[in-house]
């Protein structure tokens, strides 16, 4: 593994050197090739124009004298340059060349040609065509570049060898020893000093790493010694803390049980308070019909006492007097019957509502009828206020559920509207609506909406939290809406949502199944 690590580092250095030298060298070489080719072609173009001009002037006399022998030395003096490929001199009057020189060329793309007229006394007597190639010049330059490349390769090889030698002695070997020391530390052999394997006297980076590892070894030794000392007393500490945790857990369990008991008592108190409000309302409502009945009975008693007095005194009785007594008796009987019947109806409704709310019994019922019974109990609280209750109840909505729980939910919602929603209001209206859900025949909706003061979002979000109330210290327990939420979700098997904003009233929407889910035996309603 150490050899592989060293080899990997060595290969990385070699690759970096090779890439760092060869890539720039290759790029420079390609650039030089292109530059040399361009410069060679530019030089060839200038030299070709100059040579053609010189030959045209020099050959005018030999051509005029029709003496190729005189022209040939002039041509040979030029074509000794290896760049010349061909020289062709043609007379206009002769199909045969006056003079011709031809040399093979292997690079047509590096070849340039130029034709010029040979003038004599202002008249063209021949045409000379010269073709030259830059290939010989480029070959020489390429050979020079190849020698430079070989020198660079030799320099790279020597530099690489020297760098690897230095790295082997100054980096790779010290890193092998450093890796071995790190492996000993990882294996837990902390008793071996790193002075034996590492040179800790140096000032280079590897020596500083070794010094840091030695300090770490000494720190680990000290930490392990401290841990061994703590281990001697750890068991007793664990036992003490376990006992403390057990005691704390017992105290927390007792506190939780006490809290649950207190919560149940508060819930029961809230239920009894709700029932107490119903009793007060019913008592107030019974006062009117029973008072009327008592007044009628007192009046009839006075009339019958007058009749007895007349009979005992042997006072003659007129027919009109008897007829008047009969009429008064009949009217009193009618009034008495109506008021006693109203009292009986109130007692019957209260009895049904009270039984439902105290026994948590499940039975079949019509939703609109249960709501009307609850409203009879709640209306006395609204009777002497400027606030009204408006109903929109769908008839024939049969349910099999818990009417007492449903009545407690409706009572709490209506009393919330009265106490909280209409606070500091001169008028207001609460709408109670029930109807089947349009898209689900097995579900019904109960909606209670008021046009009161409403609430902000911070209150609406916490409205179902236990013990949360905006009437803290003034009689509010904070359990009313918490009980409502628990009854709707846990007993009636439904869902409840509250929509409200400041100044826009509050709308409470309850969706529940016609047939409530079964509850386990002994399960509390809340």
């Amino acid at each position: 593994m150490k050899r592989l690590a060293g080899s990997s580092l060595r290969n990385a250095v070699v690759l970096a050197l090779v890439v760092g030298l060869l890539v720039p060298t290759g790029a420079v070489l390609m650039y030089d090739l292109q530059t040399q080719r361009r410069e060679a072609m530019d030089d060839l173009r200038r030299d070709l124009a100059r040579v053609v001009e010189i030959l045209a002037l020099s050959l005018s006399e030999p051509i005029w004298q029709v003496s190729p022998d005189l022209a040939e030395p002039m041509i040979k003096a030029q074509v000794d340059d290896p760049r010349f490929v061909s020289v062709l001199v043609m007379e206009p009057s002769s199909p045969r060349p006056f003079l011709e020189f031809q040399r093979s060329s292997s690079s047509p793309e590096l070849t340039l040609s130029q034709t010029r007229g040979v003038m004599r006394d202002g008249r063209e007597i021949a045409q000379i065509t010269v073709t030259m190639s830059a290939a010989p010049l480029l070959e020489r330059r390429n050979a020079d570049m190849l020698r430079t490349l070989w020198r660079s390769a030799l320099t790279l090889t020597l530099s690489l060898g020297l760098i690897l030698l230095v790295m082997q002695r100054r980096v790779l070997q010290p890193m092998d020893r450093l890796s071995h020391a790190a492996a000993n530390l990882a294996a837990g052999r902390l008793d071996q000093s790193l002075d034996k394997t590492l040179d800790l006297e140096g000032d280079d980076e590897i020596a500083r790493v070794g010094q840091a590892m030695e300090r770490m070894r000494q720190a680990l030794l000290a930490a392990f010694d401290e841990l061994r000392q703590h281990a001697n007393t750890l068991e007793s500490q664990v036992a003490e803390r376990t006992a403390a945790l057990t005691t704390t857990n017992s105290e927390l369990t007792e506190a939780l049980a006490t809290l649950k008991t207190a919560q149940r008592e508060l819930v029961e108190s809230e239920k009894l308070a709700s029932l107490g409000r119903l009793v007060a309302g019913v008592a107030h409502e019974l006062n009117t019909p029973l008072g009327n009945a008592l007044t009628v009975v007192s009046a009839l008693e006075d009339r019958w006492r007058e009749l007895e007095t007349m009979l005992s005194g042997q006072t003659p009785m007129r027919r009109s007097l008897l007829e008047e007594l009969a009429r008064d008796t009949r009217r009193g009987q009618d009034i008495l019957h109506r008021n006693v019947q109203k009292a009986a109806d109130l007692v019957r409704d209260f009895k049904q509502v009270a039984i439902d709310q105290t026994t948590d019994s499940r039975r079949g019922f019509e939703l609109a009828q249960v709501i009307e019974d609850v409203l009879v109990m709640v209306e006395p609280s609204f009777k002497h206020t400027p606030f009204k209750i408006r109903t929109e109840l769908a008839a024939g909505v049969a349910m099999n559920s818990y009417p007492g729980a449903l009545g407690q939910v409706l009572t709490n919602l209506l009393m919330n509207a009265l106490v909280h929603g209409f606070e500091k209001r001169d008028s207001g209206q609460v709408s109670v609506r029930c109807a089947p859900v349009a898209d689900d025949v097995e579900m019904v909706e109960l909606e209670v909406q008021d046009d009161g003061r409403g609430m902000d979002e911070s209150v609406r979000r916490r409205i179902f939290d236990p013990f949360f109330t905006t009437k803290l210290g003034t009689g509010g327990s904070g359990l009313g809406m918490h009980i409502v939420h628990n009854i709707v979700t846990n007993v009636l098997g439904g869902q409840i949502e509250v929509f409200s904003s400041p100044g826009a009233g509050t709308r409470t929407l309850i969706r529940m199944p016609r047939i409530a889910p079964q509850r386990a035996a002994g399960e509390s309603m809340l």
Side-chain angles (χ1 to χ4, degrees), residues 327-347:
R327 286 195 302 273
D328 292 343
T329 303
R330 173 58 62 186
R331 286 197 301 271
Q333 181 184 359
D334 291 340
I335 295 173
L336 185 63
H337 181 270
R338 287 197 303 272
N339 283 275
V340 171
Q341 183 63 45
K342 183 177 181 181
D345 292 341
L346 286 172
V347 172

Side-chain angles (χ1 to χ4, degrees), residues 360-364 399-402 487-494 513-525:
D360 298 340
S361 61
R362 176 181 185 139
R363 64 180 176 86
M399 297 183 65
N400 188 296
S401 187
Y402 300 91
I487 291 176
V488 172
T489 56
N490 298 333
V491 179
L492 303 178
R514 289 174 181 261
I515 301 177
Q518 294 291 338
R519 294 163 56 194
E523 181 182 356
S524 173
M525 184 174 72

Side-chain angles (χ1 to χ4, degrees), residues 107-370:
S107 302
E109 69 277 4
L110 299 176
T111 301
L112 294 177
S113 296
Q114 187 171 347
T115 301
R116 186 185 179 97
V118 180
M119 309 299 292
R120 174 74 176 188
D121 297 333
R123 184 169 61 90
E124 182 179 295
I125 59 175
Q127 282 192 341
I128 180 172
T129 301
V130 179
T131 302
M132 297 178 69
S133 175
L137 179 60
L138 288 177
E139 289 175 359
R140 287 195 303 272
R141 292 186 179 181
N142 289 341
D144 294 339
M145 188 173 295
L146 183 60
R147 286 191 295 271
T148 302
L149 184 61
W150 277 109
R151 287 194 300 270
S152 299
L154 180 60
T155 302
L156 174 62
T157 304
L158 294 176
S159 301
L160 185 60
L162 182 60
I163 291 173
L164 289 179
L165 180 61
V166 173
M167 283 194 60
Q168 182 69 26
R169 295 178 61 86
R170 300 291 298 174
V171 178
L172 297 180
Q173 290 179 358
M175 288 205 57
D176 286 341
R177 293 193 295 269
L178 193 63
S179 176
H180 180 69
N184 287 337
L185 289 179
R189 293 189 287 271
L190 302 178
D191 54 340
Q192 299 179 4
S193 177
L194 299 184
D195 293 336
K196 300 178 180 179
T197 56
L198 299 178
D199 181 15
L200 302 181
E201 301 299 329
D203 194 31
D204 57 2
E205 289 78 3
I206 296 179
R208 288 197 291 270
V209 173
Q211 295 166 5
M213 290 180 63
E214 174 63 18
R215 290 194 297 271
M216 182 178 66
R217 183 187 70 83
Q218 296 174 0
L220 287 174
L221 281 174
F224 285 154
D225 290 339
E226 187 177 355
L227 285 176
R228 279 191 292 268
Q229 294 175 1
H230 283 297
N232 296 330
T233 58
L234 181 61
E235 186 174 352
S236 60
Q237 292 178 357
V238 169
E240 292 175 359
R241 292 180 182 179
T242 301
L245 287 174
T246 302
T247 303
T248 303
N249 190 34
S250 300
E251 294 174 354
L252 289 175
T253 303
E254 293 176 0
L256 181 61
T258 304
L259 180 61
K260 289 183 177 179
T261 302
Q263 185 174 2
R264 284 196 299 271
E265 291 176 355
L266 285 172
V267 169
E268 292 299 325
S269 299
E270 183 70 18
K271 291 172 60 179
L272 292 176
S274 176
L275 191 59
R277 288 192 294 269
L278 292 181
V279 171
V282 170
H284 185 275
E285 284 296 303
L286 284 174
N287 185 55
T288 299
L290 291 180
N292 293 337
L294 182 60
T295 301
V296 170
V297 169
S298 299
L300 290 177
E301 185 178 0
D302 291 340
R303 296 303 303 271
W304 283 105
R305 187 178 296 110
E306 293 178 3
L307 179 61
E308 289 178 353
T309 301
M310 293 174 63
L311 291 176
S312 61
Q314 296 181 355
T315 303
M317 298 182 61
R318 297 188 301 276
R319 179 183 178 87
S320 60
L321 184 61
L322 289 176
E323 289 177 352
E324 182 181 357
L325 178 61
R327 286 195 302 273
D328 292 343
T329 303
R330 173 58 62 186
R331 286 197 301 271
Q333 181 184 359
D334 291 340
I335 295 173
L336 185 63
H337 181 270
R338 287 197 303 272
N339 283 275
V340 171
Q341 183 63 45
K342 183 177 181 181
D345 292 341
L346 286 172
V347 172
R348 185 190 68 248
D349 293 340
F350 170 72
K351 180 180 179 182
Q352 183 62 57
V353 173
I355 290 174
D356 286 338
Q357 292 198 10
T358 54
T359 62
D360 298 340
S361 61
R362 176 181 185 139
R363 64 180 176 86
F365 59 89
E366 186 177 341
L367 179 59
Q369 184 60 48
V370 169

Side-chain angles (χ1 to χ4, degrees), residues 365 367 371 399 401-402 406 409 434-435 437 440-447 487-488 491-496 509-517:
F365 59 89
L367 179 59
I371 293 175
M399 297 183 65
S401 187
Y402 300 91
L406 180 59
V409 168
C434 73
V437 177
D440 190 349
V441 296
E442 298 299 325
M443 302 289 290
V444 295
E445 282 184 351
L446 173 61
E447 181 184 78
I487 291 176
V488 172
V491 179
L492 303 178
Q495 298 176 341
I496 181 171
L509 179 62
I510 299 174
R511 284 194 172 194
M512 51 189 169
R514 289 174 181 261
I515 301 177

Side-chain angles (χ1 to χ4, degrees), residues 495-509:
Q495 298 176 341
I496 181 171
E497 294 181 275
V498 176
F499 307 91
S500 182
S501 59
T506 301
R507 173 172 168 259
T508 303
L509 179 62

